[in-house]
Amino acid sequence: MPTTALSDQARAKVNLTLRVVGRRVDGYHDLESVVAFADCADRLTLHPGAELSLVTSGPGAQDCGDTADNLVLKATRLLSERVPKLRTGAFVLDKHLPVAAGIGGGSADAAAALRLLARANDLSADDPRVVEAARLTGADVPVCLPSRPCIMTGVGDNLTPLPLPRLPAVMVNPRVPVATKDVFKALGLRAGQLNVGIVDVLKSTGWPAGDASASDWIAAVKRGTNDLEAPALKVEPIVGEVLQALAALPGVRLSRMSGSGATCFALFAGDDDASAGAQALQAAHPGWWVHAGALS
């Protein structure tokens, strides 16, 4: 088993579409979402063998809160309950992604922890015990475990891979945290209530085949929606300002909110337009978190 430090990236998750199918009787929401992953990430390092601990560093360290509540430790403890004599160690989280931002930063960190623990214990990342620990840690952790584009359904535990091409993009967060529970509360579904009807399901978007172009994918994603966008605007109106700023950029093909907000994204036909757009936004809003890159 490895004795040297192990490291992995925790890539940001972006919901290209997000339909809230309904709220189950147990209170959880059934979702249908096309998920991609960005080329911006936190970095998590595990020093195997030491007593379990977590230290945060980097520009976002002060936003992480009490490390005792961090999903990295929660995921580790859940896996320890399922794997006898699990070898853990000292984690160091280099935090760059904004928190409470709708891009699964904490979930991506937890998924990275599970991948590192799997490597440190000679387990497969798709070992059923690792997958179960991911599911119990949080709704976005299972999709972050493989960090590959997919359709995510149910409560986040059903994943169907998608042949998504590289999509040039700009991501923006106004550095205003938005609590997911507040957005779902504003959506206002009762337990057992559906948000879509059978006609909506029958008309659900079909996704391009494996050889489809980025332009085809953007057109398909454009036919979708994010059902949490409207309630998020009620919770934090600055989301609307971010969306307007993205929509006004030259060359933008689509702008939308990710997850429960407040991070929003815009898709472009090329990298030059995305880079120029990000520079313009950063100059106009120096307090915002802005990233130009690609989703895949």
Side-chain angles (χ1 to χ4, degrees):
M1 292 185 180
T3 56
T4 57
L6 304 172
S7 190
D8 202 351
Q9 282 192 324
R11 295 170 66 196
K13 169 222 65 160
V14 174
N15 300 92
L16 295 176
T17 68
L18 201 166
R19 302 180 80 205
V20 181
V21 178
R23 188 175 184 185
R24 308 190 322 184
V25 293
D26 61 7
Y28 289 97
H29 291 80
D30 277 317
L31 308 174
E32 180 184 292
S33 177
V34 173
V35 178
F37 288 85
D39 52 3
C40 53
D42 296 332
R43 177 160 287 278
L44 187 67
T45 301
L46 171 64
H47 298 271
E51 183 179 349
L52 177 61
S53 63
L54 172 65
V55 173
T56 57
S57 63
Q62 69 279 2
D63 300 322
C64 290
D66 187 353
T67 55
D69 299 325
N70 196 282
L71 293 183
V72 167
L73 296 182
K74 180 179 179 180
T76 302
R77 291 180 180 123
L78 284 165
L79 187 58
S80 294
E81 293 170 4
R82 283 152 184 81
V83 178
K85 299 181 180 178
L86 182 78
R87 189 180 189 207
T88 63
F91 285 102
V92 178
L93 174 61
D94 184 13
K95 188 70 180 172
H96 291 260
L97 301 177
V99 303
I103 53 173
S107 298
D109 297 339
L114 291 172
R115 292 193 300 269
L116 291 172
L117 290 166
R119 287 165 58 190
N121 289 273
D122 292 333
L123 301 174
S124 168
D126 60 0
D127 184 296
R129 296 167 294 182
V130 176
V131 173
E132 184 181 26
R135 179 179 60 81
L136 294 173
T137 302
D140 276 340
V141 183
V143 74
C144 290
L145 195 59
S147 289
R148 291 192 293 268
C150 66
I151 300 174
M152 178 178 69
T153 57
V155 292
D157 51 345
N158 298 319
L159 310 176
T160 304
L162 279 178
L164 191 73
R166 182 182 181 278
L167 302 176
V170 171
M171 297 166 60
V172 176
N173 182 277
R175 297 194 187 275
V176 175
V178 175
T180 300
K181 62 180 178 59
D182 292 342
V183 175
F184 275 108
K185 183 178 179 181
L187 181 65
L189 294 181
R190 302 182 307 274
Q193 181 181 357
L194 286 177
N195 195 43
V196 300
I198 186 63
V199 174
D200 297 306
V201 174
L202 291 173
K203 288 182 178 178
S204 119
T205 302
W207 301 108
D211 57 351
S213 67
S215 183
D216 291 337
W217 270 96
I218 292 174
V221 169
K222 202 177 237 184
R223 293 193 293 270
T225 186
N226 182 344
D227 290 342
L228 296 181
E229 205 168 278
L233 283 166
K234 295 177 184 176
V235 173
E236 188 45 74
I238 198 172
V239 171
E241 185 180 340
V242 174
L243 287 169
Q244 288 177 355
L246 284 170
L249 294 176
V252 69
R253 300 284 304 278
L254 165 70
S255 56
R256 185 171 288 160
M257 189 183 80
S258 175
S260 56
T263 302
C264 301
F265 66 91
L267 301 180
F268 295 81
D271 292 308
D272 290 345
D273 283 342
S275 179
Q279 291 176 26
L281 281 176
Q282 196 72 84
H285 303 278
W288 288 3
W289 177 87
V290 179
H291 172 77
L295 308 179
S296 60

